[in-house]
Amino acid sequence: MAKEKKSRGHKLIVLLLLFVILLLSAISCALSLRLYKRSDPSLAGHWQMELMLTDSASARAKLWLNAAALGDQVDVEACMPKLTAHVDLYLNNDGSWSRRLDGASLDEAREKAESALGNALRELARLRVVNTGRPVGTDAELDARLAAAAGMPLERYLAEYGPRLLPAADELRAQYDGSGSYQIEGVHIRFDGLDGARYLADDALLVLEFTDRTEVYRRA
């Protein structure tokens, strides 16, 4: 009888140990899965994407100039510098994300675009003067002729009557601004409020492949 009681006691202890091990394993797996899905520490941080605006600005400027005589002879692309605006993406360790358009970079790009359009308009004026056989003169003299023709300084004329070369800030904010939570599931990242994307990342680069676009970010 004593041996049977001792054997039953050993079995009970073994069963209890197995139960505790299984319980701890289940808790560990649940915690690991939760942390895995909430965030990936290697992705956490500040990322920045460049919005390339040069081509669209050149196309709009060219369309506007082509409506004028000799406007199609102006090399707008040569006048237009590289135009970019920044979008800042923050992926936090707590599984939250936020993304914002950098308004200052958009304002800077807009100023460069307007200055380039002014140079293109000067080039158009130069072509017209050459076409008449008269001496071209200096840039200041060209500006004076343009101001006389427009009835106002060149910068004011472009501000009031020139084309809109870049998207409005509100349009870009509606497209890119947002916040919420995110989850990592294998090679996919799912944003609350955005479509899911396949991602590739290293220490310096983050590529998000959505169904309709690819976004490339660099660590800021």
Side-chain angles (χ1 to χ4, degrees), residues 18-30:
L18 288 174
F19 175 77
V20 171
I21 291 172
L22 290 173
L23 180 62
L24 291 175
S25 297
I27 293 173
S28 177
C29 288

Side-chain angles (χ1 to χ4, degrees), residues 143-152:
D143 284 355
R145 288 175 179 173
L146 287 169
M152 63 184 71

Side-chain angles (χ1 to χ4, degrees), residues 37-159:
K37 285 190 173 183
R38 284 185 65 189
S39 65
D40 183 345
S42 66
L43 296 185
H46 177 193
W47 301 89
Q48 192 171 81
M49 175 175 63
E50 279 193 341
L51 295 181
M52 303 303 297
L53 304 171
T54 310
D55 290 345
S56 60
S58 294
R60 294 179 182 186
K62 190 171 185 178
L63 183 64
W64 185 72
L65 285 173
N66 282 355
L70 301 182
D72 59 342
Q73 297 184 27
V74 177
D75 189 353
V76 177
E77 288 80 4
C79 297
M80 196 68 66
K82 179 182 178 182
L83 304 174
T84 61
H86 299 151
V87 173
D88 295 299
L89 172 65
Y90 296 90
L91 299 177
N92 305 312
N93 282 318
D94 63 359
S96 64
W97 70 273
S98 63
R99 189 169 65 172
R100 296 287 182 271
L101 171 71
D102 179 10
S105 66
L106 180 61
D107 290 340
E108 182 180 353
R110 198 180 308 281
E111 290 176 2
K112 289 181 179 179
E114 292 173 354
S115 176
L117 181 58
N119 291 333
L121 198 55
R122 290 186 184 93
E123 181 61 25
L124 175 58
R126 185 176 287 107
L127 288 173
R128 287 183 173 181
V129 171
V130 170
N131 196 49
T132 63
R134 292 177 296 172
V136 175
T138 64
D139 286 348
E141 290 172 335
L142 282 175
D143 284 355
R145 288 175 179 173
L146 287 169
M152 63 184 71
L154 177 60
E155 291 76 12
R156 181 182 166 192
Y157 173 78
L158 290 178

Side-chain angles (χ1 to χ4, degrees), residues 168-184:
D170 289 345
E171 293 178 14
L172 292 176
R173 288 194 177 96
Q175 183 176 355
Y176 291 104
D177 283 13
S179 62
S181 60
Y182 73 97
Q183 294 181 339
I184 302 296

